[in-house]
Amino acid sequence: MKGTPGTADTLAAVGHHFSHSPGWDDFFVALVLVVGATLALLGLHSAFTAWRGPEPPRGRALRGALLGTGLLLVPGLMIAAFGVWLY
């Protein structure tokens, strides 16, 4: 079966436009990727800051820290994954 593309080759070819000249579409894809990664890193930073603060959050403060982390981390990862998929 030499010469027939395997599953990995087929999956790797899905969604790629194969243009090697940089243009506006590549710029916006990179921008989406950077924005998503930045949001995810801000979510992680807020989690570590809240957890390693002078006193660990408890009760309502813990719910707020988890909500803030989730609102930054989850959409950030989703946007970054979308940027990777577009790239």
Side-chain angles (χ1 to χ4, degrees):
M1 298 234 146
K2 201 168 188 132
T4 58
T7 306
D9 295 331
T10 305
L11 290 176
V14 172
H16 293 281
H17 50 78
F18 296 112
S19 79
H20 294 288
S21 59
W24 284 107
D25 56 343
D26 291 332
F27 170 74
F28 286 117
V29 167
L31 186 65
V32 166
L33 184 62
V34 166
V35 166
T38 303
L39 283 174
L41 287 176
L42 282 173
L44 285 175
H45 176 68
S46 70
F48 286 128
T49 302
W51 199 259
R52 303 287 291 172
E55 63 180 51
R58 290 182 178 26
R60 296 184 109 185
L62 179 61
R63 282 192 301 263
L66 290 175
L67 182 66
T69 298
L71 287 177
L72 287 171
L73 185 65
V74 172
L77 289 175
M78 289 171 57
I79 292 170
F82 181 66
V84 168
W85 178 75
L86 286 176
Y87 196 69

